[in-house]
Amino acid sequence: MGGVTVLIASYAGAASAPAYARLAGLAAELPGEQLVRRDAGWPVLLYADPLDATSAAQSLREAAARVPAGELLRIVLHTAPSTTQAVRHAEHLLAIANPGQTLLTATTAAGLTDLIDLGMHRLRDLGSPERVFELTATAEPLRSLDEVPNNLPVMFTSFVGRETQVAALRTQLSGSRLVTLTGPGGSGKTRLAAQTAAQLAERWTDGVWWVDLSAVTDSAQIPETVAAAIGLLVESGDRLLIGQLRTKRALICLDNCEQILEGVAEFVVALQTGCPEISVLATSREPLDLPGEAIWRVPALAPDEARALFLERAGGLTQPESDQAIRLICVRLDGIPLALELAAAWVRTLTPEQILTGLSDRFGLLTKNVRGVAARQRTLAASIDWSYDLLDEDERQVFRRLAVFAGGFTLDAASAVCGAVLEVLARLVDKSLVVAEGGRYRLLETIREYAGTRVTADDDVRDRHLDHFLEVAEAAEPLLDKDRDAWRALIEPDRENYRAALENGLSAADPSRGRRLAAALRWLWNLQATGNEGIGYLRRAIDSAPDDRTLLQARLLYGYATVADTVDPFGYDAAGRGLELATELDDDRLRSLFLALVAVGEFFTDFQKAWDLTAEGVRLADGIGDESARNANVALQCVLLSLWDRHDDLRPLLDRAADGLISSGERGIASTVLTVWSESLVSTGEPLKAVEIAERALAAAEPLADFHRVGTARGQLASVLARTGRLDEARELMRPLLELADTAGAVVPNLGQVMGLISFWSGEYDAAVEWLARDTAPDSPLAGTFAPAMLLPTVAAAKRAGGQDATELLERAVELARRYNLPRILADALDQLGRIAITDHPDKAADLLHQALTIRVDHGLRTYVVDSLESLALLATHTNRPTDATRLSTAATAARTELGLATPPDLPSPTQPSQGEPPLPLDEAVAYARRTRGARGRPSSGWASLTPTEEQVVALAVEGLSNPEIGERLFMSRGTVKTHLAHVYAKLGVANRTELASLKKP
């Protein structure tokens, strides 16, 4: 390429004056023009040919190897159209080089060979990543921005001047945790803050995070905006965010704070109080007025800096005769960067002299007798006013109408609101009044405020803005059933515009459009923990027409209920009201969806009622062929079937529901279904596949950034990892959630259950009991639900392993398991009660252990069948049956190995197998255990010959229950019920139920 190639050489670290003197001598011996500069002590050489520059760099490297400190020398080469641009960029490259490296940019490397490609790197000038090459291999990683976590904005123009201010700010940030850059709009606060943060990035090991607050109008949105910028989990309020940052060393840059100054001040106080190693760099038109705040008032550019900025933004203007006019422009504009850029944009159509004339006239008008306005604000207003006056009428109209957009806009949105604008928009971009980035457009904050003051009565843009975003939202609604990820990608970028449109629509005399928009946006509030904000909008929409009995009101109630499900499920009976209205309207789709939501409300206390509601929901959905409504109901059915351990019935539903939910982008419910699937696989003897499915559940939840969904999925994966012996991985997976609970007081879903399980499998029994104590206490908030039953067996096992009596806990678990029909929990409790009885009551122990085994076999709980074999082996040992004990114990050990299950820490060492006798397969071991139950004192016929399970079957059969009803009551399949009845008939000598009912039990 043409232009100039610069070679810059400097030492890494603090080199001595003699060292730089030697370097100057070495550089003087090289070919090339040496650039004389007042502001640097290292040589800069200029070359017309990149090949000559590369040869010179090799020569300098060889010469430096022969002098002291030569190994510390860094050399960089860059080619650019002008010397100024080349030198500036080369110095940014020099800043990331290591001792001994010779680096080239892609513009210099083009056409050269034998270079080492170091890949893409981002320099401290905040430009886009660029490819860097090395002339000599050092294997040292470059010190680029990529080495530090950050989201610093990409700047599409160079940073000119301000070296003194950046240096001073660097020092200021070393001594203060809060530095606020203040100044009028357009004074360069944002660019100065970003550049300073980039140069200091390595100081903060946990990252430098840029948070643009310009579109935030509600202080409550600050934590979610900060969390989204950093990539952290969010919920309402700042507690969770503070908890995640408590141990971090990071710099948070809050840009454009002025419109929510008090909220930012409160947030910064909370941040600095709770996070001792977080520093804050803020930009605002006025200080935050906080103790310890270092206020840095951004000055105007110095005359030379202002001139350099104007020339660079003007595209390298090189007419010497215009230099005086350019200097006067810089003086008239007080060195304000935005004003200079606006003026420079006109160089493509006006001469500097014409620009100067226009500014002179405008200043004469706007700087006289304007009270209460700072001089720089008047100057900036004058420059924008002047730019506005130079626009043609079409440009003016579009420019002022664009003020209605919050947070940016697309070309389609601009066309809908402002008319046919493509050509006009391009001209406004050229004139620096509109910023184009990544297919979207925006007005700088100051420009948008100015445009808003120019809106006329004829510019009825708020209504057109509302109409456009209502049309987009309603057109996108079908995606909520087909592809929610696509819906989110379409709607999320315009969240600020939708907020503005909702406010406009719901505040209107006729709120119908606002109500329609609120209904169409219902799922937006399930993202980024904005549920409280969402139910606020939805409640306003519902209450704006409280007597409305239309489909719109039903849709609003549905939206409220879906958002409130994870935010405030009991605060407002939207689901019940919605079901009543949907029934009145005879809308089967909405009825089905509402049935699922009402069922969720019944779930904790009445499984059967919840099931009946979802069964009706499925029936309605199937009747209209609505897969989305069906899946909403089936998801809860999957949870119920899993709790009932009806795994054969569960699997077909899981396959269909999971695929449907994931393909439609319904990540929240998909994560729940996958979690249920994972737990089912653990129970039925497929723990390795359960890990895989749990990982899928977490992957489904993570893009939502929803704390509760992610927490639940992490907990499931950690639980399965613990059961498979991967305890360190399980603890590491839970570590971030533990930190949240410890530092932020966050209520992490199932944290006690998961950590109790991990502690138990780690042999930390006291810790396990402590983790589970709150949720299993008789007076806990969950005491009236099924939840304690799920945890009591683990508490009991931990207490037993610690030498405590757990009988009372286990009896409570049995009672709750029978009440809620929880076969696995019932079997766990019976098994442990059996172990307790082994020493003093072996016959009772045998009955209890075989009851547990029967339940586990009947429900396909192969993982827990292994536990039964181990318990029966303990009983065989105690009753002096060593052969039985050995066979059962070795079969259990082999099964654990085959299935990939860890050995419980409270289990005695397994019995060594007999020589030459292979372990029995699991099913054969079960059959063996049943054959060799041992002396039971039970005859082969008559009432006394019936097992406890057979007695239960008889009692229910005599009551008149059918086989399926008996199976549901006793947690067994109808085939198992039939088998038990056949045994009963044979033992009692009867042929059917009628004869059975006629018998009298002695």
Side-chain angles (χ1 to χ4, degrees):
M1 63 174 287
V4 61
T5 300
V6 299
L7 181 157
I8 302 181
S10 175
Y11 292 105
S16 63
Y20 272 104
R22 286 193 297 271
L23 177 59
L26 295 175
E29 297 176 5
L30 296 174
E33 176 187 354
Q34 187 151 344
L35 184 66
V36 178
R37 298 197 305 161
R38 294 172 298 173
D39 56 349
W42 49 78
V44 177
L45 298 170
L46 308 179
Y47 296 88
D49 188 338
L51 188 59
D52 292 340
T54 305
S55 178
Q58 291 173 317
S59 299
L60 180 58
R61 174 67 64 197
E62 292 169 0
R66 298 190 291 270
V67 301
E71 72 277 8
L72 300 178
L73 189 64
R74 302 172 299 173
I75 304 172
V76 299
L77 304 170
H78 175 57
T79 304
S82 72
T83 299
T84 301
Q85 293 172 327
V87 171
R88 184 187 300 123
H89 198 72
E91 288 179 334
H92 284 298
L93 182 61
L94 188 68
I96 72 169
N98 294 294
Q101 285 187 316
T102 300
L103 303 181
L104 298 81
T105 62
T107 55
T108 303
L112 301 179
T113 58
D114 299 323
L115 298 178
I116 299 166
D117 186 349
L118 299 182
M120 303 295 288
H121 293 271
R122 196 170 178 208
L123 309 188
R124 304 298 170 98
D125 63 355
L126 294 176
S128 300
E130 62 180 271
R131 192 166 297 281
V132 177
F133 296 86
E134 187 174 5
L135 191 60
T136 52
T138 60
E140 290 289 331
L142 298 183
R143 296 162 52 240
S144 62
L145 277 180
D146 310 282
E147 292 296 303
V148 179
N150 75 89
N151 69 332
L152 288 168
V154 174
M155 299 297 184
F156 296 101
T157 56
S158 57
F159 182 74
V160 179
R162 304 280 201 195
E163 287 87 0
T164 301
Q165 292 157 41
V166 170
L169 270 174
R170 289 169 60 118
T171 303
Q172 192 79 68
L173 273 168
S174 299
S176 176
R177 290 179 56 213
L178 171 59
V179 177
T180 303
L181 278 63
T182 65
S187 59
K189 302 183 294 295
T190 294
R191 191 61 189 269
L192 179 58
Q195 196 63 46
T196 303
Q199 291 198 15
L200 291 176
E202 69 273 6
R203 185 180 294 177
W204 288 278
T205 54
D206 292 308
V208 174
W209 304 105
W210 189 264
V211 185
D212 183 3
L213 299 176
S214 60
V216 178
T217 56
D218 183 350
S219 296
Q221 298 166 12
I222 295 173
E224 70 179 76
T225 305
V226 173
I230 302 176
L232 299 177
L233 297 172
V234 291
E235 67 176 7
S236 300
D238 60 20
R239 185 180 66 175
L240 178 60
L241 175 61
I242 299 298
Q244 293 175 92
L245 294 173
R246 194 175 302 279
T247 60
K248 304 297 185 185
R249 179 175 174 81
L251 175 67
I252 296 179
C253 306
L254 302 176
D255 190 35
N256 297 308
C257 302
E258 49 271 0
Q259 78 279 7
I260 45 169
L261 200 64
E262 291 185 6
V264 172
E266 291 176 4
F267 175 75
V268 170
V269 168
L271 195 64
Q272 295 206 306
T273 302
C275 308
E277 293 193 277
I278 295 290
S279 297
V280 175
L281 180 61
T283 74
S284 175
R285 293 190 184 182
E286 56 184 302
L288 303 181
D289 285 333
L290 293 176
E293 178 185 21
I295 300 170
W296 182 269
R297 301 193 184 280
V298 177
L301 291 171
D304 286 346
E305 293 176 330
R307 175 179 174 274
L309 177 64
F310 184 94
L311 289 173
E312 183 138 328
R313 299 299 187 262
L317 190 66
T318 57
Q319 297 127 327
E321 66 274 14
S322 296
D323 190 67
Q324 183 61 26
I326 292 171
R327 290 184 181 277
L328 286 174
I329 289 170
C330 295
V331 171
R332 297 290 178 86
L333 295 180
D334 278 357
I336 296 177
L338 178 57
L340 291 164
E341 294 193 2
L342 288 169
W346 287 99
V347 166
R348 288 185 287 276
T349 54
L350 299 174
T351 67
E353 289 77 8
Q354 289 172 315
I355 295 172
L356 179 61
T357 300
L359 285 176
S360 296
D361 292 342
R362 182 54 58 190
F363 282 163
L365 175 65
L366 291 181
T367 58
K368 293 182 179 179
N369 301 319
V370 182
R371 297 180 180 177
V373 180
R376 286 196 184 112
Q377 289 173 310
R378 293 199 301 270
T379 303
L380 180 60
S383 66
I384 304 174
D385 240 339
W386 171 74
S387 292
Y388 181 78
D389 288 344
L390 285 176
L391 298 175
D392 62 34
E393 186 52 42
D394 287 344
E395 292 170 340
R396 290 181 191 176
Q397 183 184 70
V398 171
F399 171 65
R400 62 179 182 259
R401 288 178 175 178
L402 291 175
V404 75
F405 291 105
F409 52 91
T410 63
L411 180 60
D412 286 345
S415 298
V417 175
C418 306
V421 298
L422 178 57
E423 183 180 345
V424 175
L425 194 60
R427 296 203 298 269
L428 292 175
V429 170
D430 284 343
K431 294 176 172 67
S432 296
L433 291 171
V434 175
V435 177
E437 50 190 11
R440 289 178 64 84
Y441 302 86
R442 64 182 174 89
L443 274 65
L444 294 176
E445 174 204 4
T446 304
I447 299 295
R448 180 171 176 253
E449 289 181 8
Y450 175 88
T453 67
R454 288 287 186 162
V455 174
T456 68
D458 295 334
D459 295 314
D460 191 16
V461 290
R462 292 184 69 203
D463 279 346
R464 285 200 296 276
H465 180 270
L466 171 57
D467 286 339
H468 169 71
F469 284 103
L470 174 59
E471 181 182 349
V472 173
E474 289 186 334
E477 276 197 277
L479 288 174
L480 289 173
D481 293 333
K482 299 175 183 177
D483 190 344
R484 293 204 175 190
D485 287 342
W487 185 94
R488 181 178 55 169
L490 178 65
I491 301 297
E492 179 69 38
D494 279 305
R495 182 183 284 263
E496 298 303 327
N497 279 310
Y498 284 113
R499 281 175 169 141
L502 279 169
E503 287 292 342
N504 180 30
L506 293 176
S507 301
D510 177 6
S512 58
R513 288 182 297 167
R515 282 162 47 81
R516 286 166 53 198
L517 183 58
L521 291 177
R522 60 187 179 274
W523 199 64
L524 181 63
W525 317 111
N526 285 307
L527 305 172
Q528 298 184 10
T530 51
N532 282 319
E533 180 187 3
I535 62 175
Y537 284 124
L538 287 158
R539 187 66 178 269
R540 282 174 61 188
I542 293 167
D543 291 348
S544 66
D547 299 324
D548 181 33
R549 305 297 291 173
T550 67
L551 182 61
L552 174 59
Q553 189 79 335
R555 292 174 59 232
L556 287 167
L557 287 165
Y558 174 66
Y560 188 104
T562 57
V563 177
D565 180 37
T566 57
V567 179
D568 185 21
F570 306 112
Y572 181 72
D573 184 23
R577 288 182 56 189
L579 178 58
E580 179 184 341
L581 182 52
T583 303
E584 177 184 317
L585 296 170
D586 198 26
D587 188 311
D588 283 350
R589 170 179 163 78
L590 272 178
R591 284 176 62 197
S592 177
L593 292 169
F594 275 121
L595 283 165
L597 290 167
V598 174
V600 170
E602 299 290 346
F603 168 69
F604 280 94
T605 56
D606 193 333
F607 285 177
Q608 191 60 51
K609 188 172 183 180
W611 177 270
D612 292 342
L613 288 164
T614 57
E616 176 64 9
V618 170
R619 185 188 69 78
L620 289 172
D622 285 344
I624 59 175
D626 193 307
E627 191 73 9
S628 177
R630 183 183 189 279
N631 285 336
N633 286 277
V634 167
L636 185 56
Q637 289 189 332
C638 288
V639 178
L640 290 166
L641 289 172
S642 177
L643 290 168
W644 284 332
D645 287 305
R646 291 167 53 181
H647 299 283
D648 289 341
D649 297 329
L650 171 63
R651 292 299 167 80
L653 292 184
L654 285 171
D655 284 327
R656 180 174 171 184
D659 289 345
L661 290 163
I662 292 172
S663 64
S664 67
E666 177 44 287
R667 292 180 173 276
I669 302 178
S671 176
T672 298
V673 169
L674 288 166
T675 297
V676 169
W677 193 347
S678 171
E679 187 61 28
S680 174
L681 289 166
V682 170
S683 296
T684 56
E686 298 181 81
L688 300 183
K689 187 176 180 182
V691 171
E692 174 190 331
I693 298 298
E695 289 171 341
R696 285 180 59 192
L698 182 55
E702 283 181 328
L704 298 177
D706 180 85
F707 171 61
H708 295 279
R709 300 285 193 189
V710 173
T712 299
R714 273 182 176 261
Q716 175 61 26
L717 179 55
S719 297
V720 185
L721 291 174
R723 294 295 305 267
T724 55
R726 297 158 65 178
L727 289 164
D728 289 343
E729 293 177 61
R731 289 185 183 278
E732 182 61 24
L733 193 67
M734 295 302 291
R735 182 179 56 79
L737 300 179
L738 286 170
E739 291 176 355
L740 292 179
D742 290 342
T743 60
V747 181
V748 179
N750 302 327
L751 181 63
Q753 176 180 344
V754 176
M755 292 309 301
L757 186 71
I758 293 174
S759 298
F760 174 79
W761 283 87
S762 301
E764 300 168 359
Y765 303 121
D766 290 342
V769 172
E770 185 177 346
W771 273 113
L772 297 167
R774 185 178 71 88
D775 290 337
T776 55
D779 59 349
S780 79
L782 299 174
T785 73
F786 75 95
M790 308 298 293
L791 311 180
L792 284 170
T794 303
V795 179
K799 285 199 168 190
R800 286 183 50 249
Q804 301 178 58
D805 182 17
T807 302
E808 186 177 338
L809 284 175
L810 291 168
E811 289 174 345
R812 182 178 163 214
V814 168
E815 189 273 327
L816 288 173
R818 292 191 189 280
R819 182 193 308 172
Y820 287 103
N821 293 349
L822 304 171
R824 177 175 66 82
I825 301 304
L826 177 59
D828 287 350
L830 292 173
D831 188 83
Q832 290 198 53
L833 285 170
R835 288 196 185 192
I836 291 172
I838 285 175
T839 302
D840 298 324
H841 305 285
D843 288 343
K844 178 182 178 182
D847 284 341
L848 290 167
L849 295 178
H850 277 276
Q851 284 184 57
L853 175 62
T854 297
I855 292 171
R856 288 165 170 170
V857 170
D858 286 348
H859 289 84
L861 304 176
R862 295 179 67 80
T863 290
Y864 301 97
V865 166
V866 178
D867 294 338
S868 282
L869 295 182
E870 290 163 344
S871 297
L872 290 167
L874 295 174
L875 174 63
T877 299
H878 182 77
T879 54
N880 197 28
R881 292 183 288 126
T883 301
D884 294 346
T886 298
R887 285 176 176 164
L888 294 175
S889 176
T890 54
T893 300
R896 285 196 180 278
T897 301
E898 179 183 352
L899 297 177
L901 292 165
T903 300
D906 62 334
L907 187 72
S909 299
T911 306
Q912 294 299 316
S914 302
Q915 278 191 330
E917 183 177 338
L920 292 172
L922 187 60
D923 292 335
E924 291 184 23
V926 170
Y928 179 84
R930 287 174 159 174
R931 288 196 308 271
T932 59
R933 178 167 179 175
R936 292 170 288 173
R938 182 178 291 131
S940 60
S941 62
W943 284 104
S945 69
L946 301 186
T947 67
T949 301
E950 289 168 348
E951 289 182 354
Q952 289 178 299
V953 171
V954 169
L956 294 175
V958 170
E959 285 182 25
L961 273 68
S962 66
N963 285 7
E965 290 171 334
I966 295 173
E968 188 168 320
R969 184 75 63 86
L970 298 180
F971 323 115
M972 59 183 65
S973 67
R974 65 183 66 185
T976 301
V977 175
K978 186 176 181 181
T979 299
H980 280 306
L981 284 173
H983 292 164
V984 168
Y985 296 160
K987 290 179 180 180
L988 299 183
V990 297
N992 52 46
R993 283 174 176 253
T994 303
E995 293 181 13
L996 178 63
S998 68
L999 292 179
K1000 289 186 178 180
K1001 183 177 180 181

